[in-house]
Amino acid sequence: MCGIVGILGSKPVAEDLVEALRRLEYRGYDSAGVATVENGHLGRRRAEGKLKNLERRLLEEPLSGRIGIGHTRWATHGRPTERNAHPHMSPKVSVVHNGIIENYRELKSELAAKGRVFEADTGTEAVVHLITDAMAEGAGPVQAVRAALGRLEGAFALGIIFAGEDDLMIAARQGSPLAIGHGNGEMYLGSDAIALAPFTDTITYLEEGDWAVLHRSGVTIYDRAGAAVE
Ligand code: GLU
């Protein structure tokens, strides 16, 4: 069982992302990574093994960015290498995922036929490229994620950020837990409330099938049918 965190912060978030991941270490993991939006572009650092390896990477090559996602991976599809560690990304979209996309082979071959190139062996990359493909066809980020979610079979908790979007994170939950933390001008995402405890104790748990659009000013949560829910 691996861990997801996300922060829409008011200062650079890489260090806090690692701190939140540390609080999810009890779940077990074999690699870890973080991605942020740096000057409009997606930046990423990943490392095999313990979080201290990721911290070392970040010391050597720091990541700026006030919005970011992080992940501790427990490999199910693809070996526990840096290449397969999350976040996965295209130039436009970066995704962390807990769970298993059961129809990833079929999705990847459909996307490969459209010219999408995959770098890793995980099912998660199918999510990255479904969203990227929808955006290439003209959809905005929210519309693209909504379309992608409709194609996914299996279990997932997802955290998603976008190049050029400094105030937008999208989360989704089907079969894997996910919590949203409300801060003062900041918002958080985590596999559980323990990860978010240093930042906030005001938590919303997504229900099965829910997905959420987060900005620093707040969150809108939708059900599977796309209706806004309380
Ligand atoms: N199935 C994905 C992978 O192997 C996610 C694993 C996880 O839940 O950490 O990368």
Side-chain angles (χ1 to χ4, degrees):
M1 198 170 54
C2 46
I4 282 184
V5 296
I7 303 178
L8 282 131
S10 49
K11 58 178 175 46
V13 290
E15 210 173 295
D16 282 347
L17 287 170
V18 176
E19 167 65 21
L21 288 176
R22 179 155 293 114
R23 302 173 70 87
L24 294 171
E25 276 188 302
Y26 74 91
R27 298 155 74 97
Y29 65 102
D30 51 50
S31 54
V34 295
T36 68
V37 181
E38 272 195 322
N39 304 319
H41 300 286
L42 292 167
R44 170 176 71 175
R45 306 287 181 267
R46 301 178 292 174
E48 281 180 41
K50 293 287 172 197
L51 277 175
K52 65 175 185 325
N53 299 342
L54 176 62
E55 282 181 301
R56 203 172 299 131
R57 281 280 287 127
L58 282 163
L59 274 178
E60 288 160 7
E61 262 191 285
L63 260 189
S64 65
R66 299 182 310 135
I67 175 172
I69 49 179
H71 189 264
T72 45
R73 178 174 189 239
W74 186 274
T76 64
H77 291 71
R79 294 177 46 240
T81 57
E82 179 173 333
R83 193 174 70 93
N84 285 328
H86 301 218
H88 289 287
M89 61 188 269
S90 71
K92 296 268 179 224
V93 178
S94 184
V95 174
V96 286
H97 165 224
N98 288 352
I100 292 172
I101 305 299
E102 279 162 11
N103 57 337
Y104 80 96
R105 282 198 188 82
E106 157 195 335
L107 292 173
K108 274 186 155 180
S109 57
E110 173 187 320
L111 289 158
K114 292 171 100 174
R116 298 270 150 213
V117 178
F118 298 96
E119 294 171 350
D121 308 315
T122 69
T124 307
E125 265 199 307
V127 183
V128 172
H129 286 279
L130 270 178
I131 299 168
T132 306
D133 192 59
M135 289 176 73
E137 286 175 5
V142 175
Q143 205 187 347
V145 170
R146 188 176 174 190
L149 292 176
R151 301 288 317 276
L152 301 180
E153 290 168 18
F156 50 82
L158 298 168
I160 308 163
I161 55 175
F162 306 86
E165 298 284 353
D166 181 58
D167 189 26
L168 173 66
M169 184 178 297
I170 303 183
R173 155 180 192 181
Q174 176 171 302
S176 303
L178 204 52
I180 290 170
H182 305 253
N184 191 5
E186 302 194 336
M187 291 293 290
Y188 308 93
L189 187 66
S191 293
D192 62 29
I194 299 169
L196 305 184
F199 313 117
T200 181
D201 55 8
T202 308
I203 303 285
T204 304
Y205 289 94
L206 292 185
E207 290 181 357
E208 214 26 37
D210 282 353
W211 56 288
V213 178
L214 290 84
H215 302 286
R216 287 184 182 80
S217 56
V219 57
T220 310
I221 302 176
Y222 301 92
D223 65 14
R224 198 175 271 128
V229 295
E230 284 297 313

